[in-house]
Amino acid sequence: MIGIDDLALATGAYRIDLAAVAERLGTDPAKYYKGLGQTEMSVIAEDEDIVTLGAAAALPVLERAGRDQIRTVLFATETGIDQSKAAGVYAHRLLGLSPNVRVVELKQACYSGTAALQFAAALVARNPAEKVLVIASDVARYELGSSAEPTQGAGAAAFTVSADPALLALEPAAGLFTADVMDFWRPNHRVTAIVDGQSSITAYLEAIGGAFTDYRAQGGADFAAIDRFCYHQPFTKMASKAHRYLAQRAGSTLDAAALAAQVDPTMAYNRRIGNSYTASVYLALLALLDGEADLTGERVAIASYGSGAVAEFLTGTVVEGYREGLRTATNEQILADRPQISDDTYLARQRTMPRTDPSDYTNRHETRAPFRFAGVREDQRIYEPTS
Ligand code: CAA
């Protein structure tokens, strides 16, 4: 029985209410609140990035489990900070891991956290004494004023994969789907992603549908035998759309309320964090586990999508006693503690990126997270503990 042993989150220091963005763009806030299913988005402090977010998410996981069993760190991101060096190597030092660890970065848009989960499971199958640390961390940025702007966000999920998981035991079947489409991408010279919004929705649905068909062909459970569904959530309404699409494709007879009950409890964190790309589907899983329902023994699907496009559909069962491994109150506190910033403050932050002095600059000390990105000296990124 291999699966997810522990799972924690981190997010940006601040939040902006999407009503403020709607006002500037002359849009009805209901379009964002109801139409996209998003109320807020996280905004990072000047001294935060994917490394500090990822390390912050991983710290409580390591503090609980210890560091000795970790021999691999897989860092999934689509907002990489270096063309060569893996972001996970910085996190490895900040987290005080042993030198006898392999660290690598994985990229395929929002999907690569799930590739990391599968690679981790394979490593644990080879040596059940090991735990693999997976970090999925991203800062989502689109052009200011574009229709994608309200679907930005920032967040990280960190989880360990082990042979005796406390949260979710993975089932063997996995459905895969890849198609070369240009729905969303970010060329090396750009800070913001290029996206064809409406076609990205179609590409997402077709890829998830294709992955589910393959999952069934690989011996996966019937749609009716899956209790809950965690979808990648670029905005939470996308999960509702995907679930209705999959239900119809699978010939489900469930009514709208029953379908909503399978997916709505996965949205609580992403609705407030915004798109966290690779982390998003794992934040959906965390919200589900942290929710009120007792999920013991339930079969949960992870439906992962990364533009470009790759999708994977897999399932696991919730382990008895899983609630003892949760940090529900801490997670709520992390979200509640983010001060709200005005649209002007948010705009000023977004406009200072990219830096005009990218090879050498100092960041103001803003973050309250355990690690900070202090700046760049002679093209080297400087990370340090906050205290
Ligand atoms: N009150 C309530 N609802 C309203 C409303 C109002 N006043 N006005 C509009 N709406 C509804 C619309 O009816 C629509 O709902 P349905 O789709 O259920 O019909 C919803 O609000 C959104 O409206 P539009 O489709 O008109 O929105 P848009 O075209 O301006 O932008 C978007 C939406 C295309 C998702 C855009 O935000 C975007 O490009 N986002 C980035 C791309 C993205 O997230 N794609 C998702 C799939 S790709 C992926 O998942 C990878 C990834 O992470 C990026």
Side-chain angles (χ1 to χ4, degrees):
M1 181 169 96
I2 293 172
I4 297 178
D5 194 40
D6 195 2
L7 173 60
L9 70 79
T11 188
Y14 305 108
R15 68 191 161 102
I16 179 164
D17 191 313
L18 289 182
V21 178
E23 192 181 340
R24 168 170 40 91
L25 297 179
T27 305
D28 181 353
K31 175 174 175 180
Y32 301 158
Y33 284 8
K34 294 204 178 98
L36 297 179
Q38 294 300 120
T39 55
E40 301 168 347
M41 55 190 182
S42 285
V43 179
I44 55 170
E46 192 173 300
D47 52 350
E48 292 177 339
D49 71 357
I50 56 161
V51 171
T52 65
L53 292 180
L59 188 61
V61 172
L62 296 178
E63 282 176 342
R64 177 184 284 168
R67 291 157 172 79
D68 296 351
Q69 287 173 279
I70 307 287
R71 287 180 57 78
T72 300
V73 176
L74 302 175
F75 198 109
T77 186
E78 66 176 285
T79 41
I81 47 157
D82 193 285
Q83 294 285 13
S84 170
K85 180 163 175 157
V89 175
Y90 296 110
H92 167 274
R93 172 175 60 77
L94 294 172
L95 292 166
L97 287 161
S98 153
N100 304 120
V101 169
R102 64 168 76 80
V103 181
V104 71
E105 187 168 309
L106 291 93
K107 178 173 69 182
Q108 177 21 60
C110 308
Y111 162 71
S112 65
T114 302
L117 169 63
Q118 293 290 21
F119 299 163
L123 285 167
V124 171
R126 198 171 73 160
N127 180 5
E130 287 184 27
K131 285 185 180 181
V132 176
L133 175 64
V134 175
I135 298 174
S137 182
D138 271 301
V139 178
R141 290 198 62 190
Y142 298 99
E143 288 294 317
L144 294 175
S146 71
S147 62
E149 185 187 345
T151 66
Q152 297 177 118
F159 56 88
T160 39
V161 176
S162 81
D164 185 20
L167 299 181
L168 190 74
L170 297 179
E171 297 184 306
L176 307 172
F177 184 88
T178 292
D180 184 2
V181 293
M182 297 303 281
D183 61 326
F184 168 110
W185 68 107
R186 185 168 68 85
N188 286 342
H189 63 91
R190 286 182 61 110
V191 180
T192 54
I194 303 173
V195 60
D196 181 345
Q198 296 302 335
S199 90
S200 74
I201 292 172
T202 308
Y204 175 123
L205 295 176
E206 285 174 357
I208 292 288
F212 180 71
T213 301
D214 186 49
Y215 166 81
R216 293 286 290 135
Q218 300 296 317
D222 183 31
F223 185 90
I226 303 173
D227 301 296
R228 312 279 177 167
F229 293 75
C230 303
Y231 293 91
H232 167 55
Q233 291 172 9
F235 49 95
T236 64
K237 200 69 177 297
M238 190 67 226
S240 308
K241 274 185 200 291
H243 198 44
R244 285 196 300 270
Y245 173 84
L246 210 57
Q248 191 182 23
R249 198 170 154 135
S252 169
T253 53
L254 292 179
D255 63 18
L259 289 175
Q262 294 182 320
V263 73
D264 286 2
T266 68
M267 299 174 184
Y269 295 151
N270 288 321
R271 184 177 288 131
R272 296 163 70 187
I273 288 173
N275 197 351
S276 58
Y277 291 161
T278 53
S280 144
V281 71
Y282 297 97
L283 298 185
L285 174 63
L286 188 56
L288 176 68
L289 295 173
D290 275 341
E292 283 171 12
D294 179 4
L295 306 171
T296 306
E298 288 198 4
R299 177 177 282 126
V300 174
I302 293 176
S304 187
Y305 175 72
S307 291
V310 177
E312 179 159 351
F313 191 100
L314 65 134
T315 48
T317 53
V318 179
V319 176
E320 192 176 349
Y322 74 99
R323 281 197 172 278
E324 289 160 36
L326 300 178
R327 301 179 185 78
T328 310
T330 308
N331 293 338
E332 174 52 36
Q333 201 64 47
I334 289 170
L335 297 190
D337 278 353
R338 297 167 301 162
Q340 187 163 306
I341 56 173
S342 68
D343 192 50
D344 285 346
T345 307
Y346 150 79
L347 283 178
R349 280 169 183 282
Q350 300 296 95
R351 286 181 179 139
T352 56
M353 294 289 292
R355 307 282 306 210
T356 49
D357 50 352
S359 306
D360 205 306
Y361 59 91
T362 301
N363 287 328
R364 278 177 297 158
H365 192 149
E366 283 190 306
T367 185
R368 298 175 315 282
F371 309 108
R372 62 184 298 271
F373 168 36
V376 175
R377 305 268 176 286
E378 296 178 351
D379 270 319
Q380 297 182 32
R381 295 173 85 87
I382 312 291
Y383 293 98
E384 59 191 26
T386 303
S387 53

